[in-house]
Amino acid sequence: MIQVDIPIKYLTFFLEDDAELEHIKKEYGEGRMLTGEVKQRLIQVLTEIVERHRRARASVTEEMVDAFMAVRPLPHMFD
């Protein structure tokens, strides 16, 4: 069951703490952690990622976008 559980799969990609992930897998696999608890932890992890992205995006200026989008040579592209 744990191999096909979607919240566990998402946590394997997004949870940075490997020890916590193994603890969650063990507790869930042995029935001591409910699906709702796993989903709640996934929500916390994804919310942190989205908030970090939102803050980083808010700090982008027009000058940064212009510099990123500027036409420039690509060195060693056709070597």
Side-chain angles (χ1 to χ4, degrees), residues 12 14 28-29 36-37 44 49 56 59 62 68:
T12 62
F14 295 112
Y28 181 69
E37 294 171 299
Q44 292 169 348
I49 292 169
S59 70
E62 284 297 320
F68 181 80

Side-chain angles (χ1 to χ4, degrees), residues 19-49:
E20 182 183 358
L21 178 62
E22 289 308 312
H23 174 74
I24 290 171
K25 284 180 177 181
K26 181 181 178 196
E27 293 296 302
Y28 181 69
E30 294 176 2
R32 290 189 295 267
M33 184 177 242
L34 302 174
T35 302
E37 294 171 299
V38 176
K39 289 178 181 178
Q40 191 60 41
R41 182 62 183 123
L42 176 60
I43 289 168
Q44 292 169 348
V45 169
L46 293 178
T47 299
E48 291 170 13
I49 292 169

Side-chain angles (χ1 to χ4, degrees), residues 1 3 7 9 11-14 16 20 22 24 27-29 37 44 48 51 53-55 58 61 65-66 69 72 76:
M1 177 178 194
Q3 284 88 9
K9 289 287 185 186
L11 283 173
T12 62
F13 289 109
F14 295 112
E16 295 178 4
E20 182 183 358
E22 289 308 312
I24 290 171
E27 293 296 302
Y28 181 69
E37 294 171 299
Q44 292 169 348
E48 291 170 13
E51 283 301 311
H53 178 76
R54 186 193 60 75
R55 286 190 304 273
T61 64
V65 173
D66 290 343
M69 298 300 290
R72 58 192 176 276
H76 311 293

